[in-house]
Amino acid sequence: MLKKKIKKVVVNYTIIAFAAVIYGIGTALFSDVNDLAPGGFTGIAIGLNRIFGLGVGLWFWILNVPVVILGMWKFGIRFIISTIYATAMISFFTDIIAKYFAVFAVHDILLGVIFGSALTALGMGLIFKHGATSGGSDIIIKILRIQFPHLKTGVLFFVTDLAVVIFAGFVFRDINAALYSLLACMITSFVLDLVLYGRDGAKLIYIISDKPDVITHRLLVELDAGATHIFGEGAYSGEKKKVIMCVIKKRLSPMAEDIVREEDPDAFMIVTSATEIFGEGYKSYFDERI
């Protein structure tokens, strides 16, 4: 048991270090060289580097020290150790890459926006998935979520990133740089969700048919889709019906519709998007949400 725990810690910390390298590449070779402040403490660090000098990684570390102390007080030492490690790795690799691999920097603002934000989000997502955070605004937003649970995480991230983008606009004195930074924030948010949760968007289908058992059997056998029978009653006719409720992956939705069409062309079917699903085959109920 102890060996397994040690092995898990070693694997997690190795992946966090690898993720920090990816994060550093996105920041040093794509975002920083194109005057992009992609939100969060990374964006603030890039702005402060332009004003006062020092490395972006060093500023990232300086900004994180008080926030990490606050996180330690709020969440305890076990949570914060991995975050301190991740923050130190990001700081170290960002400055190392900027210093020794500058020849590989991409001096194209559009490529910087796309690849810089995507690589940063990929690194951040891997860090989140292996029991740490990248510090900074992640810890602040985690604290705010406890204090104000009615506020959505995405809204809090957007507000903090928007403040950083405005700050970047003043630092770089360039509205284009600020707008590109805002675009980078949007790409980062999209890629981060993709890394953390995958493409788990699905279709929610309600089927009212005279052949509910046949349709349900085909959905279960041919598509390996889960289905639930809801017992309803027609408001006008008073006739009792089995209503099939089925959540299915988007790519399988056309096949499910074909099954219904083949078995009962007169079936009443409602198809809508399900953007967040918990349970077997989708997200876990117990995944920690930042």
Side-chain angles (χ1 to χ4, degrees):
M1 183 64 73
L2 181 59
K3 285 185 177 180
K4 285 185 177 179
K5 285 185 178 180
I6 294 173
K7 183 180 178 181
K8 184 179 179 181
V9 170
V10 171
V11 169
N12 282 345
Y13 275 55
T14 302
I15 293 174
I16 288 171
F18 174 69
V21 173
I22 296 173
Y23 193 109
I25 291 172
T27 301
L29 303 185
F30 290 92
S31 298
D32 185 21
V33 294
N34 289 292
D35 290 342
L36 293 169
F41 274 27
T42 302
I44 298 173
I46 290 173
L48 291 174
N49 175 57
R50 291 297 187 276
I51 299 171
F52 302 107
L54 302 179
V56 173
L58 180 57
W59 273 117
F60 184 79
W61 177 252
I62 292 170
L63 289 168
N64 268 289
V65 169
V67 178
V68 167
I69 293 171
L70 179 62
M72 190 183 302
W73 173 59
K74 280 286 186 180
F75 305 115
I77 190 67
R78 289 184 62 187
F79 166 80
I80 223 66
I81 284 175
S82 57
T83 293
I84 292 172
Y85 173 76
T87 304
M89 289 294 98
I90 289 172
S91 177
F92 173 75
F93 284 119
T94 298
D95 281 351
I96 288 294
I97 291 167
K99 184 175 181 179
Y100 296 106
F101 297 90
V103 66
F104 298 108
V106 176
H107 296 276
D108 181 291
I109 194 163
L110 189 57
L111 292 176
V113 167
I114 296 170
F115 289 97
S117 52
L119 287 170
T120 300
L122 175 59
M124 196 186 308
L126 288 173
I127 289 169
F128 286 168
K129 289 187 77 170
H130 290 85
T133 75
S134 56
S137 57
D138 305 337
I139 295 176
I140 293 172
I141 287 170
K142 194 175 182 69
I143 293 171
L144 288 173
R145 281 280 289 151
I146 295 172
Q147 298 297 322
F148 307 102
H150 59 284
L151 293 178
K152 292 185 177 180
T153 303
V155 173
L156 293 171
F157 264 113
F158 181 76
V159 170
T160 55
D161 286 347
L162 185 61
V164 174
V165 167
I166 293 170
F167 168 69
F170 281 109
V171 170
F172 300 129
R173 300 176 186 276
D174 186 351
I175 187 64
N176 290 333
L179 292 174
Y180 274 121
S181 295
L182 181 60
L183 179 60
C185 292
M186 294 176 181
I187 295 173
T188 298
S189 177
F190 173 78
V191 175
L192 182 58
D193 280 346
L194 198 62
V195 174
L196 290 176
Y197 309 121
R199 297 182 62 85
D200 70 341
K203 293 290 186 180
L204 173 61
I205 304 176
Y206 290 99
I207 306 162
I208 302 173
S209 168
D210 291 328
K211 301 178 179 178
D213 295 327
V214 176
I215 293 172
T216 300
H217 178 74
R218 289 192 61 182
L219 290 174
L220 294 174
V221 174
E222 296 177 25
L223 304 184
D224 193 28
T228 300
H229 286 162
I230 302 171
F231 293 91
E233 181 179 307
Y236 177 75
S237 65
E239 185 180 353
K240 297 190 183 301
K241 290 269 190 180
K242 275 185 184 178
V243 179
I244 305 168
M245 183 183 75
C246 179
V247 176
I248 196 166
K249 299 283 188 182
K250 283 183 179 178
R251 61 185 175 81
L252 297 177
S253 178
M255 298 179 219
E257 293 171 21
D258 287 341
I259 288 173
V260 175
R261 194 176 298 111
E262 290 168 11
E263 295 297 338
D264 185 1
D266 297 321
F268 186 78
M269 182 165 54
I270 302 169
V271 181
T272 185
S273 294
T275 56
E276 197 167 23
I277 312 108
F278 293 89
E280 187 176 351
Y282 296 93
K283 299 180 192 176
S284 169
Y285 292 103
F286 307 106
D287 284 345
E288 184 176 0
R289 303 178 71 183
I290 295 172

PDB file of all heavy atoms in Angstrom, residues 246-274:
ATOM      1  N   CYS A 246     -33.249   9.342 -22.807  1.00  0.00           N
ATOM      2  CA  CYS A 246     -31.951   8.776 -23.157  1.00  0.00           C
ATOM      3  C   CYS A 246     -30.920   9.887 -23.308  1.00  0.00           C
ATOM      4  O   CYS A 246     -31.147  10.857 -24.044  1.00  0.00           O
ATOM      5  CB  CYS A 246     -32.077   7.975 -24.459  1.00  0.00           C
ATOM      6  SG  CYS A 246     -30.529   7.250 -25.031  1.00  0.00           S
ATOM      7  N   VAL A 247     -29.784   9.763 -22.583  1.00  0.00           N
ATOM      8  CA  VAL A 247     -28.651  10.670 -22.783  1.00  0.00           C
ATOM      9  C   VAL A 247     -27.621   9.912 -23.595  1.00  0.00           C
ATOM     10  O   VAL A 247     -27.214   8.809 -23.231  1.00  0.00           O
ATOM     11  CB  VAL A 247     -28.046  11.116 -21.436  1.00  0.00           C
ATOM     12  CG1 VAL A 247     -26.810  11.983 -21.672  1.00  0.00           C
ATOM     13  CG2 VAL A 247     -29.071  11.869 -20.618  1.00  0.00           C
ATOM     14  N   ILE A 248     -27.183  10.516 -24.701  1.00  0.00           N
ATOM     15  CA  ILE A 248     -26.320   9.802 -25.639  1.00  0.00           C
ATOM     16  C   ILE A 248     -25.249  10.728 -26.177  1.00  0.00           C
ATOM     17  O   ILE A 248     -25.460  11.940 -26.302  1.00  0.00           O
ATOM     18  CB  ILE A 248     -27.183   9.211 -26.786  1.00  0.00           C
ATOM     19  CG1 ILE A 248     -26.422   8.153 -27.556  1.00  0.00           C
ATOM     20  CG2 ILE A 248     -27.715  10.296 -27.698  1.00  0.00           C
ATOM     21  CD1 ILE A 248     -27.316   7.311 -28.453  1.00  0.00           C
ATOM     22  N   LYS A 249     -24.080  10.177 -26.466  1.00  0.00           N
ATOM     23  CA  LYS A 249     -22.993  10.967 -27.053  1.00  0.00           C
ATOM     24  C   LYS A 249     -23.458  11.597 -28.364  1.00  0.00           C
ATOM     25  O   LYS A 249     -24.243  11.010 -29.103  1.00  0.00           O
ATOM     26  CB  LYS A 249     -21.771  10.075 -27.332  1.00  0.00           C
ATOM     27  CG  LYS A 249     -21.167   9.412 -26.112  1.00  0.00           C
ATOM     28  CD  LYS A 249     -20.329  10.368 -25.306  1.00  0.00           C
ATOM     29  CE  LYS A 249     -19.581   9.633 -24.189  1.00  0.00           C
ATOM     30  NZ  LYS A 249     -18.784  10.542 -23.353  1.00  0.00           N
ATOM     31  N   LYS A 250     -22.949  12.791 -28.640  1.00  0.00           N
ATOM     32  CA  LYS A 250     -23.380  13.521 -29.833  1.00  0.00           C
ATOM     33  C   LYS A 250     -23.194  12.710 -31.109  1.00  0.00           C
ATOM     34  O   LYS A 250     -24.042  12.722 -31.993  1.00  0.00           O
ATOM     35  CB  LYS A 250     -22.607  14.840 -29.946  1.00  0.00           C
ATOM     36  CG  LYS A 250     -23.087  15.921 -29.007  1.00  0.00           C
ATOM     37  CD  LYS A 250     -22.311  17.213 -29.231  1.00  0.00           C
ATOM     38  CE  LYS A 250     -22.814  18.305 -28.289  1.00  0.00           C
ATOM     39  NZ  LYS A 250     -22.050  19.560 -28.444  1.00  0.00           N
ATOM     40  N   ARG A 251     -22.076  12.000 -31.218  1.00  0.00           N
ATOM     41  CA  ARG A 251     -21.788  11.267 -32.450  1.00  0.00           C
ATOM     42  C   ARG A 251     -22.757  10.109 -32.685  1.00  0.00           C
ATOM     43  O   ARG A 251     -22.896   9.629 -33.821  1.00  0.00           O
ATOM     44  CB  ARG A 251     -20.345  10.750 -32.434  1.00  0.00           C
ATOM     45  CG  ARG A 251     -20.047   9.798 -31.302  1.00  0.00           C
ATOM     46  CD  ARG A 251     -18.562   9.408 -31.257  1.00  0.00           C
ATOM     47  NE  ARG A 251     -18.247   8.596 -30.107  1.00  0.00           N
ATOM     48  CZ  ARG A 251     -18.454   7.292 -30.019  1.00  0.00           C
ATOM     49  NH1 ARG A 251     -18.983   6.644 -31.043  1.00  0.00           N
ATOM     50  NH2 ARG A 251     -18.136   6.634 -28.924  1.00  0.00           N
ATOM     51  N   LEU A 252     -23.411   9.644 -31.595  1.00  0.00           N
ATOM     52  CA  LEU A 252     -24.373   8.535 -31.721  1.00  0.00           C
ATOM     53  C   LEU A 252     -25.805   9.027 -31.894  1.00  0.00           C
ATOM     54  O   LEU A 252     -26.705   8.231 -32.183  1.00  0.00           O
ATOM     55  CB  LEU A 252     -24.295   7.624 -30.496  1.00  0.00           C
ATOM     56  CG  LEU A 252     -22.965   6.904 -30.252  1.00  0.00           C
ATOM     57  CD1 LEU A 252     -23.029   6.108 -28.956  1.00  0.00           C
ATOM     58  CD2 LEU A 252     -22.628   5.992 -31.424  1.00  0.00           C
ATOM     59  N   SER A 253     -26.022  10.321 -31.733  1.00  0.00           N
ATOM     60  CA  SER A 253     -27.373  10.867 -31.804  1.00  0.00           C
ATOM     61  C   SER A 253     -28.087  10.582 -33.129  1.00  0.00           C
ATOM     62  O   SER A 253     -29.251  10.174 -33.126  1.00  0.00           O
ATOM     63  CB  SER A 253     -27.332  12.379 -31.526  1.00  0.00           C
ATOM     64  OG  SER A 253     -28.623  12.934 -31.637  1.00  0.00           O
ATOM     65  N   PRO A 254     -27.431  10.757 -34.290  1.00  0.00           N
ATOM     66  CA  PRO A 254     -28.124  10.456 -35.552  1.00  0.00           C
ATOM     67  C   PRO A 254     -28.570   9.002 -35.653  1.00  0.00           C
ATOM     68  O   PRO A 254     -29.635   8.712 -36.218  1.00  0.00           O
ATOM     69  CB  PRO A 254     -27.067  10.783 -36.624  1.00  0.00           C
ATOM     70  CG  PRO A 254     -26.155  11.760 -35.967  1.00  0.00           C
ATOM     71  CD  PRO A 254     -26.095  11.346 -34.532  1.00  0.00           C
ATOM     72  N   MET A 255     -27.767   8.069 -35.111  1.00  0.00           N
ATOM     73  CA  MET A 255     -28.132   6.647 -35.148  1.00  0.00           C
ATOM     74  C   MET A 255     -29.357   6.378 -34.273  1.00  0.00           C
ATOM     75  O   MET A 255     -30.224   5.570 -34.639  1.00  0.00           O
ATOM     76  CB  MET A 255     -26.950   5.787 -34.674  1.00  0.00           C
ATOM     77  CG  MET A 255     -25.708   5.912 -35.540  1.00  0.00           C
ATOM     78  SD  MET A 255     -24.362   4.886 -34.906  1.00  0.00           S
ATOM     79  CE  MET A 255     -22.966   5.964 -35.196  1.00  0.00           C
ATOM     80  N   ALA A 256     -29.408   7.062 -33.119  1.00  0.00           N
ATOM     81  CA  ALA A 256     -30.574   6.907 -32.245  1.00  0.00           C
ATOM     82  C   ALA A 256     -31.831   7.419 -32.941  1.00  0.00           C
ATOM     83  O   ALA A 256     -32.900   6.791 -32.868  1.00  0.00           O
ATOM     84  CB  ALA A 256     -30.350   7.660 -30.937  1.00  0.00           C
ATOM     85  N   GLU A 257     -31.711   8.539 -33.621  1.00  0.00           N
ATOM     86  CA  GLU A 257     -32.860   9.093 -34.355  1.00  0.00           C
ATOM     87  C   GLU A 257     -33.295   8.152 -35.476  1.00  0.00           C
ATOM     88  O   GLU A 257     -34.498   8.007 -35.748  1.00  0.00           O
ATOM     89  CB  GLU A 257     -32.491  10.474 -34.912  1.00  0.00           C
ATOM     90  CG  GLU A 257     -32.269  11.513 -33.808  1.00  0.00           C
ATOM     91  CD  GLU A 257     -31.689  12.820 -34.339  1.00  0.00           C
ATOM     92  OE1 GLU A 257     -31.830  13.075 -35.557  1.00  0.00           O
ATOM     93  OE2 GLU A 257     -31.102  13.578 -33.544  1.00  0.00           O
ATOM     94  N   ASP A 258     -32.309   7.502 -36.123  1.00  0.00           N
ATOM     95  CA  ASP A 258     -32.643   6.539 -37.187  1.00  0.00           C
ATOM     96  C   ASP A 258     -33.414   5.353 -36.628  1.00  0.00           C
ATOM     97  O   ASP A 258     -34.370   4.854 -37.259  1.00  0.00           O
ATOM     98  CB  ASP A 258     -31.363   6.044 -37.873  1.00  0.00           C
ATOM     99  CG  ASP A 258     -30.737   7.098 -38.772  1.00  0.00           C
ATOM    100  OD1 ASP A 258     -31.454   8.059 -39.143  1.00  0.00           O
ATOM    101  OD2 ASP A 258     -29.540   6.965 -39.105  1.00  0.00           O
ATOM    102  N   ILE A 259     -33.009   4.881 -35.440  1.00  0.00           N
ATOM    103  CA  ILE A 259     -33.699   3.752 -34.809  1.00  0.00           C
ATOM    104  C   ILE A 259     -35.163   4.104 -34.552  1.00  0.00           C
ATOM    105  O   ILE A 259     -36.080   3.323 -34.836  1.00  0.00           O
ATOM    106  CB  ILE A 259     -32.996   3.352 -33.496  1.00  0.00           C
ATOM    107  CG1 ILE A 259     -31.660   2.671 -33.803  1.00  0.00           C
ATOM    108  CG2 ILE A 259     -33.891   2.437 -32.642  1.00  0.00           C
ATOM    109  CD1 ILE A 259     -30.801   2.386 -32.580  1.00  0.00           C
ATOM    110  N   VAL A 260     -35.401   5.288 -33.998  1.00  0.00           N
ATOM    111  CA  VAL A 260     -36.772   5.726 -33.715  1.00  0.00           C
ATOM    112  C   VAL A 260     -37.564   5.840 -35.013  1.00  0.00           C
ATOM    113  O   VAL A 260     -38.714   5.411 -35.095  1.00  0.00           O
ATOM    114  CB  VAL A 260     -36.757   7.082 -32.971  1.00  0.00           C
ATOM    115  CG1 VAL A 260     -38.183   7.593 -32.779  1.00  0.00           C
ATOM    116  CG2 VAL A 260     -36.062   6.937 -31.618  1.00  0.00           C
ATOM    117  N   ARG A 261     -36.929   6.410 -36.038  1.00  0.00           N
ATOM    118  CA  ARG A 261     -37.610   6.603 -37.324  1.00  0.00           C
ATOM    119  C   ARG A 261     -37.988   5.258 -37.963  1.00  0.00           C
ATOM    120  O   ARG A 261     -39.066   5.106 -38.538  1.00  0.00           O
ATOM    121  CB  ARG A 261     -36.695   7.398 -38.257  1.00  0.00           C
ATOM    122  CG  ARG A 261     -37.399   7.963 -39.494  1.00  0.00           C
ATOM    123  CD  ARG A 261     -36.456   8.815 -40.328  1.00  0.00           C
ATOM    124  NE  ARG A 261     -35.967   9.973 -39.576  1.00  0.00           N
ATOM    125  CZ  ARG A 261     -34.725  10.137 -39.163  1.00  0.00           C
ATOM    126  NH1 ARG A 261     -33.826   9.196 -39.410  1.00  0.00           N
ATOM    127  NH2 ARG A 261     -34.374  11.213 -38.500  1.00  0.00           N
ATOM    128  N   GLU A 262     -37.090   4.272 -37.838  1.00  0.00           N
ATOM    129  CA  GLU A 262     -37.347   2.955 -38.416  1.00  0.00           C
ATOM    130  C   GLU A 262     -38.456   2.210 -37.682  1.00  0.00           C
ATOM    131  O   GLU A 262     -39.290   1.542 -38.303  1.00  0.00           O
ATOM    132  CB  GLU A 262     -36.063   2.114 -38.384  1.00  0.00           C
ATOM    133  CG  GLU A 262     -34.991   2.589 -39.352  1.00  0.00           C
ATOM    134  CD  GLU A 262     -33.645   1.924 -39.087  1.00  0.00           C
ATOM    135  OE1 GLU A 262     -33.622   0.952 -38.282  1.00  0.00           O
ATOM    136  OE2 GLU A 262     -32.628   2.366 -39.660  1.00  0.00           O
ATOM    137  N   GLU A 263     -38.465   2.312 -36.355  1.00  0.00           N
ATOM    138  CA  GLU A 263     -39.426   1.549 -35.563  1.00  0.00           C
ATOM    139  C   GLU A 263     -40.795   2.221 -35.475  1.00  0.00           C
ATOM    140  O   GLU A 263     -41.815   1.538 -35.429  1.00  0.00           O
ATOM    141  CB  GLU A 263     -38.867   1.322 -34.152  1.00  0.00           C
ATOM    142  CG  GLU A 263     -37.623   0.462 -34.100  1.00  0.00           C
ATOM    143  CD  GLU A 263     -37.877  -0.963 -34.597  1.00  0.00           C
ATOM    144  OE1 GLU A 263     -39.045  -1.404 -34.585  1.00  0.00           O
ATOM    145  OE2 GLU A 263     -36.903  -1.617 -34.994  1.00  0.00           O
ATOM    146  N   ASP A 264     -40.829   3.516 -35.435  1.00  0.00           N
ATOM    147  CA  ASP A 264     -42.105   4.219 -35.287  1.00  0.00           C
ATOM    148  C   ASP A 264     -42.007   5.615 -35.921  1.00  0.00           C
ATOM    149  O   ASP A 264     -41.639   6.584 -35.248  1.00  0.00           O
ATOM    150  CB  ASP A 264     -42.470   4.335 -33.804  1.00  0.00           C
ATOM    151  CG  ASP A 264     -43.861   4.942 -33.607  1.00  0.00           C
ATOM    152  OD1 ASP A 264     -44.530   5.255 -34.614  1.00  0.00           O
ATOM    153  OD2 ASP A 264     -44.263   5.105 -32.437  1.00  0.00           O
ATOM    154  N   PRO A 265     -42.307   5.733 -37.204  1.00  0.00           N
ATOM    155  CA  PRO A 265     -42.219   7.025 -37.901  1.00  0.00           C
ATOM    156  C   PRO A 265     -43.120   8.098 -37.284  1.00  0.00           C
ATOM    157  O   PRO A 265     -42.887   9.289 -37.497  1.00  0.00           O
ATOM    158  CB  PRO A 265     -42.678   6.690 -39.327  1.00  0.00           C
ATOM    159  CG  PRO A 265     -42.509   5.214 -39.457  1.00  0.00           C
ATOM    160  CD  PRO A 265     -42.755   4.657 -38.095  1.00  0.00           C
ATOM    161  N   ASP A 266     -44.132   7.672 -36.538  1.00  0.00           N
ATOM    162  CA  ASP A 266     -45.062   8.631 -35.934  1.00  0.00           C
ATOM    163  C   ASP A 266     -44.684   8.999 -34.496  1.00  0.00           C
ATOM    164  O   ASP A 266     -45.444   9.707 -33.819  1.00  0.00           O
ATOM    165  CB  ASP A 266     -46.483   8.054 -35.944  1.00  0.00           C
ATOM    166  CG  ASP A 266     -46.989   7.824 -37.362  1.00  0.00           C
ATOM    167  OD1 ASP A 266     -46.708   8.671 -38.237  1.00  0.00           O
ATOM    168  OD2 ASP A 266     -47.662   6.800 -37.592  1.00  0.00           O
ATOM    169  N   ALA A 267     -43.525   8.534 -34.038  1.00  0.00           N
ATOM    170  CA  ALA A 267     -43.101   8.810 -32.658  1.00  0.00           C
ATOM    171  C   ALA A 267     -42.868  10.306 -32.474  1.00  0.00           C
ATOM    172  O   ALA A 267     -42.486  11.024 -33.399  1.00  0.00           O
ATOM    173  CB  ALA A 267     -41.838   8.033 -32.324  1.00  0.00           C
ATOM    174  N   PHE A 268     -43.133  10.758 -31.242  1.00  0.00           N
ATOM    175  CA  PHE A 268     -42.876  12.153 -30.871  1.00  0.00           C
ATOM    176  C   PHE A 268     -41.523  12.176 -30.172  1.00  0.00           C
ATOM    177  O   PHE A 268     -41.306  11.476 -29.178  1.00  0.00           O
ATOM    178  CB  PHE A 268     -43.981  12.653 -29.940  1.00  0.00           C
ATOM    179  CG  PHE A 268     -43.883  14.117 -29.610  1.00  0.00           C
ATOM    180  CD1 PHE A 268     -44.303  15.077 -30.513  1.00  0.00           C
ATOM    181  CD2 PHE A 268     -43.345  14.530 -28.390  1.00  0.00           C
ATOM    182  CE1 PHE A 268     -44.205  16.429 -30.207  1.00  0.00           C
ATOM    183  CE2 PHE A 268     -43.248  15.870 -28.078  1.00  0.00           C
ATOM    184  CZ  PHE A 268     -43.683  16.825 -28.999  1.00  0.00           C
ATOM    185  N   MET A 269     -40.593  12.947 -30.702  1.00  0.00           N
ATOM    186  CA  MET A 269     -39.229  12.922 -30.186  1.00  0.00           C
ATOM    187  C   MET A 269     -38.726  14.348 -29.952  1.00  0.00           C
ATOM    188  O   MET A 269     -38.880  15.227 -30.798  1.00  0.00           O
ATOM    189  CB  MET A 269     -38.316  12.197 -31.179  1.00  0.00           C
ATOM    190  CG  MET A 269     -36.881  12.072 -30.725  1.00  0.00           C
ATOM    191  SD  MET A 269     -35.938  10.854 -31.695  1.00  0.00           S
ATOM    192  CE  MET A 269     -36.226  11.429 -33.369  1.00  0.00           C
ATOM    193  N   ILE A 270     -38.156  14.565 -28.774  1.00  0.00           N
ATOM    194  CA  ILE A 270     -37.543  15.853 -28.425  1.00  0.00           C
ATOM    195  C   ILE A 270     -36.041  15.610 -28.269  1.00  0.00           C
ATOM    196  O   ILE A 270     -35.624  14.745 -27.493  1.00  0.00           O
ATOM    197  CB  ILE A 270     -38.113  16.428 -27.120  1.00  0.00           C
ATOM    198  CG1 ILE A 270     -39.626  16.602 -27.225  1.00  0.00           C
ATOM    199  CG2 ILE A 270     -37.442  17.755 -26.775  1.00  0.00           C
ATOM    200  CD1 ILE A 270     -40.288  16.917 -25.895  1.00  0.00           C
ATOM    201  N   VAL A 271     -35.228  16.371 -29.000  1.00  0.00           N
ATOM    202  CA  VAL A 271     -33.767  16.258 -28.922  1.00  0.00           C
ATOM    203  C   VAL A 271     -33.208  17.612 -28.489  1.00  0.00           C
ATOM    204  O   VAL A 271     -33.466  18.630 -29.131  1.00  0.00           O
ATOM    205  CB  VAL A 271     -33.153  15.848 -30.272  1.00  0.00           C
ATOM    206  CG1 VAL A 271     -31.633  15.716 -30.139  1.00  0.00           C
ATOM    207  CG2 VAL A 271     -33.765  14.555 -30.778  1.00  0.00           C
ATOM    208  N   THR A 272     -32.455  17.606 -27.398  1.00  0.00           N
ATOM    209  CA  THR A 272     -31.868  18.843 -26.904  1.00  0.00           C
ATOM    210  C   THR A 272     -30.431  18.594 -26.467  1.00  0.00           C
ATOM    211  O   THR A 272     -30.018  17.435 -26.304  1.00  0.00           O
ATOM    212  CB  THR A 272     -32.694  19.410 -25.730  1.00  0.00           C
ATOM    213  OG1 THR A 272     -32.177  20.678 -25.348  1.00  0.00           O
ATOM    214  CG2 THR A 272     -32.677  18.471 -24.541  1.00  0.00           C
ATOM    215  N   SER A 273     -29.652  19.645 -26.287  1.00  0.00           N
ATOM    216  CA  SER A 273     -28.255  19.500 -25.876  1.00  0.00           C
ATOM    217  C   SER A 273     -28.157  19.345 -24.366  1.00  0.00           C
ATOM    218  O   SER A 273     -28.855  20.014 -23.614  1.00  0.00           O
ATOM    219  CB  SER A 273     -27.442  20.719 -26.310  1.00  0.00           C
ATOM    220  OG  SER A 273     -27.373  20.791 -27.715  1.00  0.00           O
ATOM    221  N   ALA A 274     -27.270  18.449 -23.934  1.00  0.00           N
ATOM    222  CA  ALA A 274     -26.951  18.284 -22.511  1.00  0.00           C
ATOM    223  C   ALA A 274     -25.489  18.677 -22.362  1.00  0.00           C
ATOM    224  O   ALA A 274     -24.607  17.977 -22.838  1.00  0.00           O
ATOM    225  CB  ALA A 274     -27.187  16.842 -22.076  1.00  0.00           C
TER     226      ALA A 274
END
